Amino acid sequence: MSRLSAMLPWNQTWVHGGPGSLLRLAFGGQAVPATTFRTSYMEGRALSRPWTTRSRFDELTVPSLPREVVPPEMAVGMNDSGSGCDCRGGSASSLPAGRAAGSRSWWAAAAAVAATYFYFLIFAEFALLELARAINPDGLRVVMIALGGSGVSGAVFAAWIFTVERQRALLAWAFRTAALAAAAASVAGSFGALLPAAILAGGSLGALTVALASALRGATGGFRLGTCIGIGTGTAYALSNLPWLFAASPAFQAAAAAAVALAASWLARGMEPAEPDELGSRADYAAGGVVRWLTILLALVWMDSAAFYVIQHVSALREVTWTGTGALTGNAAVHLGFAVLAGVLLDRGRAAVVAALAVALLAVGCSMLNGTLGGWTAGAGWFYAAGVSLYSVVLVHYPARSGRPWLAALVFAVAGWGGSALGIGMAQDLAQVPPAFVVAALLVVATALGWRLVALRRGAIAAAVLVSGGAIVRGESSAETALIQHGREVYIAEGCIHCHSQFIRPLVPQDVEQWGPAEPLQRSLSAAPPLFGTRRQGPDLARVGNRRSPEWNRLHLMSPQAVSPGSRMPAYAHLFKPGDERGAALVAYLASLGAETMAERQAQIAAWVPDTTVVADPAVARRRFAQLCTPCHGAAGRGDGRMAAALSLPPPDWQAAGWRRVPPGIPIEPALSRIIKFGIPGSPMAGHEYLPDADVVGLARLVRSLHDSGAGGRAGSSSHEDPDRGG
């Protein structure tokens, strides 16, 4: 085969081939025969011919080639026989700076991807919705519909008007319009002002994603397109997880998104407009391939959006995934690393591997969030982050690799906006990602990938078995779920709402300290019916599941005065008669209230320190002890109260043994105060959250005196230092 030999610089150069034509040759710095070169007018066309490199860069040598295989751009200056000629480009300074321009365009494309994803993540997916929730919680769904509807419209509009000549202008104006929408939202003081900003944000973001995906292949010249997208995507996710930005107010986040979008509007100038080269393989872009990848991406976005909503609205999950500098920094690193990995794999033609890894990691993360894998949630955030970063790169790379605006519009409308709406809608109604859906997504993606690779088959089967096994275990608790629902009906029927509220006011510190973490209003309103209560005669029960054990609730329901002397609550012993399931159902329902906030509640308790500036008089402390403590602990703290025999764990005899719940080496008085104030979760020992600090500390000192007066005090002295007494 004839060869075209070219003398090239390190990366790429532009060599004049005749009036009105440019020949672009790209390479990595060493001679490799039988690869391709590209010829281009300003809009560009792809041609494949073998070529090799030499050491010089200012000379293009065309050896003898048949006329029919010589590109028209190179025919200028050739004789009729097709013999070669030297097309001299002169010195290095006389050539356009092709390598610098190409590198600039590549990095501009990566930065544009980062800016677009950052805007979507920090504003459209988070800050905008939080602003809407703060202004009008009832209008949140309207804002989401407006955002999604305008996003689809913007995508269709961009596909309709996109051309290479309009590329820079369309990208610039889409970024500027997005910046305007975010800036307007950051200062919106009413729902009427926020809704137009949401519509503008959706429309500009829809147009931006389609225009950018259509321009990326031409702007990068197809050189490491996946890596370019991976760097941009990972950078956006990493920036969005910076602790100071993640924890900022929604208004500040919106302003930050506006600033980034405005700055990014100048990136369009650096992205070279060029028609994308024709693809070597068309299988993924034929009708069957488009359906296949659309199905894969829809399943991944659907699962991601549902998991995102669950994490955002369940405080216990948010605590272990998005709270704290360590967690956020770890998330940022995982996002960046896996996004770049996805880009590298895509450049090597491993799109199926990336999609398979993404769905497997998302499936494990969702299953951990659901509790399907035994309640282990500590690493769920990193599994989730890794899966999201992998598929997010594919979501952009697939349409960008084709360079077809209408394909980009289809992918982002169906998989992007449609998948997000389906995922959030499912999570809103179910408060979880159903295990059955996770298994179905695994199987759908595996089937769509063609079931071709042994490794993918084994991975999909293993993940499906793992999640299915967890789902079976979870299914065994379906009877318990039905019991809880029945208990809720009993709660309503017995009129508990007339004395007990289920609403912790988030802006009232005393409520949060006494009753536990507040619940988002939108989630409380989603209950059917909401059980806020008519008044608060007794304690709030919104989080009673992490304050009282089922055993204590059962005893208290059967005989309130025996457990809490002086209580005005009537007895409900009739609910516990043999054959009557109402009592057990009511106890199960109470145990479910706030159970998911146990970790957050324990953090609150650990951070609590009593105020010791004012302490109750010993006589007051003795009266409190006689009323609240003697039913179980007895008058002298010997564990012989009238209720002691009914408890599964008898109270300790303070005068005969060491401390049961106070570890050696820590201050005794604060530890006792916490136990008295908040109780011991999971045990019959209930807290007294409503007592003032003075009474709590007074009781702690009384309890300590009872312990120190007996053998327990002498036995405990060897295992406890006494920091409260200064040595």
Side-chain angles (χ1 to χ4, degrees), residues 106-139:
W106 195 93
W107 283 107
V113 172
T116 304
Y117 253 127
F118 178 83
Y119 183 89
F120 170 74
L121 294 169
I122 205 69
F123 175 65
E125 192 176 38
F126 193 78
L128 177 61
L129 302 184
E130 291 302 312
L131 289 170
R133 184 177 288 109
I135 292 175
N136 182 7
D138 295 333

mmCIF file of all heavy atoms in Angstrom, residues 106-139:
data_model
loop_
_atom_site.group_PDB
_atom_site.id
_atom_site.type_symbol
_atom_site.label_atom_id
_atom_site.label_comp_id
_atom_site.label_asym_id
_atom_site.label_seq_id
_atom_site.Cartn_x
_atom_site.Cartn_y
_atom_site.Cartn_z
ATOM 1 N N TRP A 106 -9.313 21.524 23.475
ATOM 2 C CA TRP A 106 -9.575 20.321 24.269
ATOM 3 C C TRP A 106 -9.872 20.684 25.724
ATOM 4 O O TRP A 106 -10.840 20.217 26.318
ATOM 5 C CB TRP A 106 -8.362 19.393 24.177
ATOM 6 C CG TRP A 106 -8.602 17.985 24.643
ATOM 7 C CD1 TRP A 106 -8.964 16.921 23.882
ATOM 8 C CD2 TRP A 106 -8.447 17.487 25.974
ATOM 9 N NE1 TRP A 106 -9.060 15.786 24.657
ATOM 10 C CE2 TRP A 106 -8.746 16.102 25.954
ATOM 11 C CE3 TRP A 106 -8.099 18.061 27.193
ATOM 12 C CZ2 TRP A 106 -8.697 15.291 27.086
ATOM 13 C CZ3 TRP A 106 -8.054 17.260 28.333
ATOM 14 C CH2 TRP A 106 -8.350 15.898 28.271
ATOM 15 N N TRP A 107 -9.026 21.538 26.287
ATOM 16 C CA TRP A 107 -9.228 21.928 27.689
ATOM 17 C C TRP A 107 -10.437 22.838 27.864
ATOM 18 O O TRP A 107 -11.108 22.800 28.903
ATOM 19 C CB TRP A 107 -7.970 22.596 28.238
ATOM 20 C CG TRP A 107 -6.896 21.601 28.556
ATOM 21 C CD1 TRP A 107 -5.744 21.379 27.867
ATOM 22 C CD2 TRP A 107 -6.902 20.656 29.627
ATOM 23 N NE1 TRP A 107 -5.021 20.360 28.437
ATOM 24 C CE2 TRP A 107 -5.700 19.898 29.522
ATOM 25 C CE3 TRP A 107 -7.790 20.383 30.662
ATOM 26 C CZ2 TRP A 107 -5.383 18.888 30.428
ATOM 27 C CZ3 TRP A 107 -7.468 19.365 31.559
ATOM 28 C CH2 TRP A 107 -6.284 18.631 31.439
ATOM 29 N N ALA A 108 -10.718 23.650 26.852
ATOM 30 C CA ALA A 108 -11.932 24.466 26.914
ATOM 31 C C ALA A 108 -13.166 23.573 26.934
ATOM 32 O O ALA A 108 -14.144 23.840 27.652
ATOM 33 C CB ALA A 108 -11.986 25.423 25.728
ATOM 34 N N ALA A 109 -13.143 22.495 26.172
ATOM 35 C CA ALA A 109 -14.257 21.551 26.161
ATOM 36 C C ALA A 109 -14.418 20.887 27.527
ATOM 37 O O ALA A 109 -15.534 20.747 28.045
ATOM 38 C CB ALA A 109 -14.039 20.498 25.079
ATOM 39 N N ALA A 110 -13.307 20.466 28.145
ATOM 40 C CA ALA A 110 -13.371 19.851 29.471
ATOM 41 C C ALA A 110 -13.927 20.830 30.500
ATOM 42 O O ALA A 110 -14.749 20.463 31.357
ATOM 43 C CB ALA A 110 -11.982 19.363 29.887
ATOM 44 N N ALA A 111 -13.491 22.096 30.420
ATOM 45 C CA ALA A 111 -13.984 23.102 31.358
ATOM 46 C C ALA A 111 -15.469 23.382 31.149
ATOM 47 O O ALA A 111 -16.214 23.607 32.110
ATOM 48 C CB ALA A 111 -13.176 24.397 31.200
ATOM 49 N N ALA A 112 -15.920 23.358 29.897
ATOM 50 C CA ALA A 112 -17.342 23.566 29.623
ATOM 51 C C ALA A 112 -18.187 22.431 30.200
ATOM 52 O O ALA A 112 -19.274 22.660 30.738
ATOM 53 C CB ALA A 112 -17.574 23.681 28.116
ATOM 54 N N VAL A 113 -17.697 21.191 30.100
ATOM 55 C CA VAL A 113 -18.398 20.064 30.715
ATOM 56 C C VAL A 113 -18.477 20.255 32.224
ATOM 57 O O VAL A 113 -19.527 20.046 32.849
ATOM 58 C CB VAL A 113 -17.692 18.734 30.368
ATOM 59 C CG1 VAL A 113 -18.304 17.572 31.159
ATOM 60 C CG2 VAL A 113 -17.783 18.448 28.880
ATOM 61 N N ALA A 114 -17.357 20.650 32.834
ATOM 62 C CA ALA A 114 -17.332 20.864 34.283
ATOM 63 C C ALA A 114 -18.319 21.953 34.699
ATOM 64 O O ALA A 114 -19.062 21.800 35.677
ATOM 65 C CB ALA A 114 -15.921 21.231 34.731
ATOM 66 N N ALA A 115 -18.347 23.050 33.967
ATOM 67 C CA ALA A 115 -19.249 24.149 34.315
ATOM 68 C C ALA A 115 -20.710 23.739 34.180
ATOM 69 O O ALA A 115 -21.545 24.084 35.024
ATOM 70 C CB ALA A 115 -18.957 25.353 33.415
ATOM 71 N N THR A 116 -21.024 22.981 33.129
ATOM 72 C CA THR A 116 -22.413 22.551 32.915
ATOM 73 C C THR A 116 -22.876 21.610 34.005
ATOM 74 O O THR A 116 -23.965 21.767 34.577
ATOM 75 C CB THR A 116 -22.550 21.875 31.545
ATOM 76 O OG1 THR A 116 -22.099 22.774 30.531
ATOM 77 C CG2 THR A 116 -23.990 21.488 31.268
ATOM 78 N N TYR A 117 -22.057 20.617 34.314
ATOM 79 C CA TYR A 117 -22.419 19.669 35.368
ATOM 80 C C TYR A 117 -22.481 20.366 36.731
ATOM 81 O O TYR A 117 -23.346 20.063 37.560
ATOM 82 C CB TYR A 117 -21.424 18.516 35.422
ATOM 83 C CG TYR A 117 -21.979 17.220 34.881
ATOM 84 C CD1 TYR A 117 -21.309 16.505 33.899
ATOM 85 C CD2 TYR A 117 -23.175 16.697 35.357
ATOM 86 C CE1 TYR A 117 -21.814 15.320 33.392
ATOM 87 C CE2 TYR A 117 -23.693 15.515 34.857
ATOM 88 C CZ TYR A 117 -23.008 14.829 33.882
ATOM 89 O OH TYR A 117 -23.531 13.657 33.385
ATOM 90 N N PHE A 118 -21.552 21.279 36.992
ATOM 91 C CA PHE A 118 -21.568 22.006 38.266
ATOM 92 C C PHE A 118 -22.872 22.784 38.419
ATOM 93 O O PHE A 118 -23.497 22.768 39.487
ATOM 94 C CB PHE A 118 -20.372 22.961 38.332
ATOM 95 C CG PHE A 118 -20.319 23.788 39.588
ATOM 96 C CD1 PHE A 118 -19.765 23.277 40.752
ATOM 97 C CD2 PHE A 118 -20.832 25.082 39.609
ATOM 98 C CE1 PHE A 118 -19.718 24.035 41.914
ATOM 99 C CE2 PHE A 118 -20.793 25.844 40.759
ATOM 100 C CZ PHE A 118 -20.230 25.322 41.918
ATOM 101 N N TYR A 119 -23.284 23.444 37.357
ATOM 102 C CA TYR A 119 -24.533 24.209 37.394
ATOM 103 C C TYR A 119 -25.716 23.288 37.683
ATOM 104 O O TYR A 119 -26.583 23.605 38.501
ATOM 105 C CB TYR A 119 -24.733 24.920 36.055
ATOM 106 C CG TYR A 119 -25.953 25.805 35.986
ATOM 107 C CD1 TYR A 119 -25.886 27.143 36.358
ATOM 108 C CD2 TYR A 119 -27.180 25.312 35.542
ATOM 109 C CE1 TYR A 119 -27.005 27.963 36.291
ATOM 110 C CE2 TYR A 119 -28.297 26.117 35.475
ATOM 111 C CZ TYR A 119 -28.210 27.444 35.856
ATOM 112 O OH TYR A 119 -29.321 28.246 35.797
ATOM 113 N N PHE A 120 -25.728 22.135 37.020
ATOM 114 C CA PHE A 120 -26.829 21.193 37.231
ATOM 115 C C PHE A 120 -26.841 20.678 38.662
ATOM 116 O O PHE A 120 -27.885 20.642 39.327
ATOM 117 C CB PHE A 120 -26.705 20.031 36.253
ATOM 118 C CG PHE A 120 -27.649 18.903 36.546
ATOM 119 C CD1 PHE A 120 -29.004 19.015 36.272
ATOM 120 C CD2 PHE A 120 -27.193 17.732 37.126
ATOM 121 C CE1 PHE A 120 -29.884 17.978 36.567
ATOM 122 C CE2 PHE A 120 -28.054 16.695 37.418
ATOM 123 C CZ PHE A 120 -29.409 16.815 37.139
ATOM 124 N N LEU A 121 -25.669 20.275 39.174
ATOM 125 C CA LEU A 121 -25.596 19.633 40.485
ATOM 126 C C LEU A 121 -25.891 20.604 41.619
ATOM 127 O O LEU A 121 -26.716 20.324 42.493
ATOM 128 C CB LEU A 121 -24.205 19.019 40.678
ATOM 129 C CG LEU A 121 -23.840 17.854 39.758
ATOM 130 C CD1 LEU A 121 -22.356 17.538 39.867
ATOM 131 C CD2 LEU A 121 -24.677 16.635 40.087
ATOM 132 N N ILE A 122 -25.214 21.736 41.626
ATOM 133 C CA ILE A 122 -25.296 22.619 42.783
ATOM 134 C C ILE A 122 -26.528 23.512 42.748
ATOM 135 O O ILE A 122 -27.034 23.929 43.781
ATOM 136 C CB ILE A 122 -24.013 23.477 42.901
ATOM 137 C CG1 ILE A 122 -23.804 23.909 44.360
ATOM 138 C CG2 ILE A 122 -24.071 24.684 41.981
ATOM 139 C CD1 ILE A 122 -23.447 22.781 45.285
ATOM 140 N N PHE A 123 -27.044 23.779 41.540
ATOM 141 C CA PHE A 123 -28.198 24.678 41.452
ATOM 142 C C PHE A 123 -29.477 23.953 41.059
ATOM 143 O O PHE A 123 -30.430 23.889 41.839
ATOM 144 C CB PHE A 123 -27.928 25.808 40.464
ATOM 145 C CG PHE A 123 -29.118 26.696 40.233
ATOM 146 C CD1 PHE A 123 -29.627 27.465 41.270
ATOM 147 C CD2 PHE A 123 -29.746 26.746 38.990
ATOM 148 C CE1 PHE A 123 -30.753 28.278 41.080
ATOM 149 C CE2 PHE A 123 -30.860 27.546 38.787
ATOM 150 C CZ PHE A 123 -31.369 28.311 39.833
ATOM 151 N N ALA A 124 -29.520 23.393 39.845
ATOM 152 C CA ALA A 124 -30.778 22.827 39.349
ATOM 153 C C ALA A 124 -31.252 21.653 40.192
ATOM 154 O O ALA A 124 -32.454 21.482 40.431
ATOM 155 C CB ALA A 124 -30.612 22.398 37.890
ATOM 156 N N GLU A 125 -30.325 20.819 40.659
ATOM 157 C CA GLU A 125 -30.699 19.621 41.401
ATOM 158 C C GLU A 125 -30.805 19.867 42.900
ATOM 159 O O GLU A 125 -31.391 19.064 43.619
ATOM 160 C CB GLU A 125 -29.685 18.505 41.133
ATOM 161 C CG GLU A 125 -30.129 17.131 41.610
ATOM 162 C CD GLU A 125 -29.148 16.040 41.251
ATOM 163 O OE1 GLU A 125 -27.927 16.286 41.318
ATOM 164 O OE2 GLU A 125 -29.588 14.936 40.900
ATOM 165 N N PHE A 126 -30.246 20.963 43.387
ATOM 166 C CA PHE A 126 -30.190 21.147 44.844
ATOM 167 C C PHE A 126 -30.688 22.522 45.291
ATOM 168 O O PHE A 126 -31.745 22.643 45.889
ATOM 169 C CB PHE A 126 -28.757 20.894 45.336
ATOM 170 C CG PHE A 126 -28.657 20.752 46.821
ATOM 171 C CD1 PHE A 126 -29.026 19.573 47.440
ATOM 172 C CD2 PHE A 126 -28.197 21.798 47.608
ATOM 173 C CE1 PHE A 126 -28.940 19.434 48.822
ATOM 174 C CE2 PHE A 126 -28.112 21.680 48.987
ATOM 175 C CZ PHE A 126 -28.485 20.493 49.590
ATOM 176 N N ALA A 127 -29.917 23.568 44.989
ATOM 177 C CA ALA A 127 -30.230 24.889 45.538
ATOM 178 C C ALA A 127 -31.606 25.384 45.102
ATOM 179 O O ALA A 127 -32.367 25.935 45.911
ATOM 180 C CB ALA A 127 -29.152 25.895 45.131
ATOM 181 N N LEU A 128 -31.941 25.207 43.833
ATOM 182 C CA LEU A 128 -33.232 25.685 43.338
ATOM 183 C C LEU A 128 -34.385 25.018 44.083
ATOM 184 O O LEU A 128 -35.355 25.686 44.476
ATOM 185 C CB LEU A 128 -33.344 25.420 41.839
ATOM 186 C CG LEU A 128 -34.680 25.791 41.184
ATOM 187 C CD1 LEU A 128 -34.955 27.280 41.326
ATOM 188 C CD2 LEU A 128 -34.686 25.374 39.715
ATOM 189 N N LEU A 129 -34.286 23.706 44.301
ATOM 190 C CA LEU A 129 -35.360 22.995 44.989
ATOM 191 C C LEU A 129 -35.434 23.385 46.461
ATOM 192 O O LEU A 129 -36.528 23.455 47.039
ATOM 193 C CB LEU A 129 -35.155 21.486 44.843
ATOM 194 C CG LEU A 129 -35.086 20.960 43.406
ATOM 195 C CD1 LEU A 129 -34.991 19.442 43.396
ATOM 196 C CD2 LEU A 129 -36.302 21.421 42.606
ATOM 197 N N GLU A 130 -34.277 23.632 47.080
ATOM 198 C CA GLU A 130 -34.291 24.071 48.476
ATOM 199 C C GLU A 130 -34.885 25.475 48.603
ATOM 200 O O GLU A 130 -35.606 25.766 49.565
ATOM 201 C CB GLU A 130 -32.872 24.042 49.042
ATOM 202 C CG GLU A 130 -32.304 22.645 49.204
ATOM 203 C CD GLU A 130 -33.160 21.768 50.099
ATOM 204 O OE1 GLU A 130 -33.542 22.222 51.191
ATOM 205 O OE2 GLU A 130 -33.473 20.631 49.703
ATOM 206 N N LEU A 131 -34.598 26.342 47.651
ATOM 207 C CA LEU A 131 -35.206 27.676 47.665
ATOM 208 C C LEU A 131 -36.721 27.571 47.514
ATOM 209 O O LEU A 131 -37.479 28.266 48.199
ATOM 210 C CB LEU A 131 -34.620 28.531 46.537
ATOM 211 C CG LEU A 131 -33.157 28.983 46.713
ATOM 212 C CD1 LEU A 131 -32.626 29.593 45.426
ATOM 213 C CD2 LEU A 131 -33.053 29.989 47.863
ATOM 214 N N ALA A 132 -37.165 26.689 46.623
ATOM 215 C CA ALA A 132 -38.606 26.501 46.434
ATOM 216 C C ALA A 132 -39.253 25.946 47.692
ATOM 217 O O ALA A 132 -40.342 26.367 48.086
ATOM 218 C CB ALA A 132 -38.852 25.562 45.254
ATOM 219 N N ARG A 133 -38.577 24.990 48.348
ATOM 220 C CA ARG A 133 -39.125 24.390 49.565
ATOM 221 C C ARG A 133 -39.239 25.437 50.678
ATOM 222 O O ARG A 133 -40.189 25.419 51.461
ATOM 223 C CB ARG A 133 -38.244 23.223 50.009
ATOM 224 C CG ARG A 133 -38.781 22.465 51.215
ATOM 225 C CD ARG A 133 -37.898 21.284 51.559
ATOM 226 N NE ARG A 133 -38.021 20.226 50.581
ATOM 227 C CZ ARG A 133 -37.099 19.892 49.715
ATOM 228 N NH1 ARG A 133 -35.955 20.551 49.691
ATOM 229 N NH2 ARG A 133 -37.288 18.910 48.860
ATOM 230 N N ALA A 134 -38.266 26.345 50.758
ATOM 231 C CA ALA A 134 -38.289 27.366 51.800
ATOM 232 C C ALA A 134 -39.375 28.410 51.543
ATOM 233 O O ALA A 134 -40.014 28.903 52.483
ATOM 234 C CB ALA A 134 -36.919 28.046 51.898
ATOM 235 N N ILE A 135 -39.601 28.758 50.281
ATOM 236 C CA ILE A 135 -40.592 29.791 49.952
ATOM 237 C C ILE A 135 -42.005 29.230 49.994
ATOM 238 O O ILE A 135 -42.918 29.836 50.573
ATOM 239 C CB ILE A 135 -40.285 30.385 48.561
ATOM 240 C CG1 ILE A 135 -38.969 31.177 48.605
ATOM 241 C CG2 ILE A 135 -41.421 31.296 48.091
ATOM 242 C CD1 ILE A 135 -38.520 31.686 47.253
ATOM 243 N N ASN A 136 -42.199 28.075 49.381
ATOM 244 C CA ASN A 136 -43.544 27.485 49.313
ATOM 245 C C ASN A 136 -43.421 25.971 49.143
ATOM 246 O O ASN A 136 -43.319 25.484 48.024
ATOM 247 C CB ASN A 136 -44.338 28.092 48.156
ATOM 248 C CG ASN A 136 -45.756 27.540 48.082
ATOM 249 O OD1 ASN A 136 -46.208 26.799 48.966
ATOM 250 N ND2 ASN A 136 -46.478 27.893 47.032
ATOM 251 N N PRO A 137 -43.428 25.215 50.258
ATOM 252 C CA PRO A 137 -43.268 23.755 50.148
ATOM 253 C C PRO A 137 -44.317 23.109 49.240
ATOM 254 O O PRO A 137 -44.024 22.131 48.552
ATOM 255 C CB PRO A 137 -43.408 23.277 51.596
ATOM 256 C CG PRO A 137 -43.057 24.468 52.430
ATOM 257 C CD PRO A 137 -43.539 25.650 51.659
ATOM 258 N N ASP A 138 -45.507 23.658 49.240
ATOM 259 C CA ASP A 138 -46.562 23.075 48.418
ATOM 260 C C ASP A 138 -46.313 23.277 46.924
ATOM 261 O O ASP A 138 -46.902 22.581 46.094
ATOM 262 C CB ASP A 138 -47.919 23.685 48.791
ATOM 263 C CG ASP A 138 -48.324 23.333 50.216
ATOM 264 O OD1 ASP A 138 -47.879 22.286 50.710
ATOM 265 O OD2 ASP A 138 -49.075 24.110 50.837
ATOM 266 N N GLY A 139 -45.467 24.243 46.585
ATOM 267 C CA GLY A 139 -45.190 24.518 45.178
ATOM 268 C C GLY A 139 -43.962 23.813 44.645
ATOM 269 O O GLY A 139 -43.587 24.026 43.491
#
